[in-house]
Amino acid sequence: MTRASVPGLASRYPIGELLPALYADDDLAQRFTAGLDTVLAPVLSTLDNLPAYFDPALTPADFLPWLSSWVAADADPAWPAELRRAVIARAVELHRWRGTRRGLVEHLRLCFGVQADIQDGGGATWSSEPGAPLPPPPTGELLVRVWALHGGTVDAGRVRDVVAASCPVHLTCRVEILPGPPDETGG
C-alpha cells in the first residue's frame, strides 16, 4: 500500500506561494519549495481524505486488508472487493451475533449468498416433573443445511470452513448442501 506513487499530484497548499514576497521571484526558492510540494502532496492528500480510509465503501482496495484486520473481519482476499467491503462494513454487527444461529445464518448469507437452516444438538436437558425420567440427552451435533438463494452453486468447502470455525468445541458439526430449501417436514 503506497500513496506516494500518484504521478502529477499537486499540493493544495504550495509552499512557494506562502513564502514572503522577497522569494516570490526567486527561481531557486520556488524550485526548492516545488520539490518539497512533490514530497508532501501525497501526505497532505491522505490526511485531507482520512475519513474516507475508515469507510469500507470508500477506502482504496489496497487498504481493505488492513481495515479488515482492525475489525477482525474474515474477509477472504480472493473475494471480490465489493463483497470484502460488505463483510468489513457489517463485521461489528456480525461479532455481536457470533456464536448464535442468527450470527451464523447472517455470516453465511453475506459471504456466500446462501440460506441456512441450523439444528443445534447441544444444550441442557431437564424435566418439569419431579422424579420423572430425564429427556434424552442432546445429540451433540450441529447440523447446518445450506442452499443457494437464487439457484446458484454453493462452494461446499468454504461453507464447511466457516461452519467449522463457528461451531462450539463441544459439538461436532455437519454440513449438508441442499439443491433448494428443505420442506416443512425437515426433508
Side-chain angles (χ1 to χ4, degrees), residues 39 49 62 71 74 94 133 144 179 182:
V39 172
N49 297 298
D62 61 344
V71 293
D74 297 327
L94 290 175
V144 180

Side-chain angles (χ1 to χ4, degrees), residues 117-132:
D117 175 50
I118 299 174
Q119 297 176 6
D120 184 358
T125 59
W126 58 280
S127 174
S128 60
E129 298 179 27

Side-chain angles (χ1 to χ4, degrees), residues 101-110 112-119 143-149 159 163 175-178 180-182:
R101 286 181 181 168
R102 176 181 175 179
L104 183 54
V105 167
E106 289 295 320
H107 191 114
L108 292 170
R109 182 180 298 129
L110 178 64
F112 304 112
V114 298
Q115 182 60 285
D117 175 50
I118 299 174
Q119 297 176 6
L143 172 61
V144 180
R145 294 177 172 173
V146 176
W147 63 94
L149 285 173
V159 169
V163 171
V175 176
E176 292 179 359
I177 308 298
L178 305 176

Side-chain angles (χ1 to χ4, degrees), residues 14-185:
I15 298 173
E17 294 177 8
L18 302 174
L19 294 176
L22 173 68
Y23 298 106
D25 292 330
D26 186 344
D27 185 52
L28 177 62
Q30 291 301 317
R31 285 185 295 144
F32 180 74
T33 58
L36 294 174
D37 287 338
T38 302
V39 172
L40 293 175
V43 174
L44 295 174
S45 175
T46 300
L47 291 175
D48 287 345
N49 297 298
L50 196 57
Y53 282 83
F54 304 125
D55 183 346
L58 301 175
T59 195
D62 61 344
F63 197 73
L64 282 172
W66 200 19
L67 189 58
S68 174
S69 72
W70 289 0
V71 293
D74 297 327
D76 188 338
W79 292 345
E82 291 309 311
L83 177 56
R84 287 184 288 150
R85 290 178 192 281
V87 169
I88 293 167
R90 294 202 47 213
V92 173
E93 177 190 352
L94 290 175
H95 285 310
R96 188 177 313 132
W97 293 105
R98 189 176 182 121
T100 65
R101 286 181 181 168
R102 176 181 175 179
L104 183 54
V105 167
E106 289 295 320
H107 191 114
L108 292 170
R109 182 180 298 129
L110 178 64
C111 294
F112 304 112
V114 298
Q115 182 60 285
D117 175 50
I118 299 174
Q119 297 176 6
D120 184 358
T125 59
W126 58 280
S127 174
S128 60
E129 298 179 27
L134 290 175
T139 63
E141 178 183 68
L142 178 72
L143 172 61
V144 180
R145 294 177 172 173
V146 176
W147 63 94
L149 285 173
H150 304 292
T153 60
V154 177
D155 186 344
R158 290 174 65 193
V159 169
R160 284 187 182 94
D161 290 343
V162 168
V163 171
S166 301
C167 185
V169 295
H170 68 284
L171 298 176
T172 58
C173 62
R174 183 166 51 109
V175 176
E176 292 179 359
I177 308 298
L178 305 176
D183 60 21
E184 295 300 317
T185 62

